Amino acid sequence: MEENFFERVYQIARQIPEGRVTSYGAIAKALGTARSARMVGWAMNASHNLDDVPAHRVVNQKGILTGKHHFDGTNLMQQLLENEGVKVVDNQIVDFENVFWNPMKEL
């Protein structure tokens, strides 16, 4: 089940547009498994060897870069987001509501 779930998570994550972010919980809800935000996080951790999954665009519900320590280099997650025009201050996305991409609405 886990591998299939992870692949479903990746299918959603691949659709997050550049310069936008979503949350672990929003992906879980879109999959109909609202209580599995933590498993979405595990899927993101496992995706680092997949070049086509933009794990840096998935943050916690408050816009905090909780997964940043899973990226190579201290600030890689922040740098990837800033390269796409997303502002980050103290590990938190600035103007989170406006860059938030909701898969329930967008897909």
Side-chain angles (χ1 to χ4, degrees), residues 58-72:
V58 184
V59 297
N60 85 355
Q61 64 189 1
K62 295 183 172 106
I64 298 171
L65 312 190
T66 47
K68 77 175 251 170
H69 57 280
H70 294 287
F71 285 80
D72 291 334

Side-chain angles (χ1 to χ4, degrees), residues 21-98:
V21 297
T22 196
S23 68
Y24 304 106
I27 290 177
K29 271 188 205 136
L31 292 173
T33 56
R35 296 177 183 269
S36 61
R38 181 164 283 150
M39 271 188 73
V40 172
W42 294 338
M44 289 296 101
N45 289 348
S47 76
H48 289 295
N49 55 350
L50 304 173
D51 290 337
D52 63 337
V53 177
H56 64 283
R57 295 182 191 149
V58 184
V59 297
N60 85 355
Q61 64 189 1
K62 295 183 172 106
I64 298 171
L65 312 190
T66 47
K68 77 175 251 170
H69 57 280
H70 294 287
F71 285 80
D72 291 334
T74 354
N75 283 319
L76 182 61
M77 183 179 189
Q78 181 170 336
Q79 288 166 352
L80 290 168
L81 287 167
E82 288 175 340
N83 289 347
E84 296 180 359
V86 177
K87 286 189 171 54
V88 179
V89 175
D90 292 331
N91 292 321
Q92 187 159 12
I93 291 172
V94 176
D95 211 12
F96 182 56
E97 305 76 40
N98 287 326

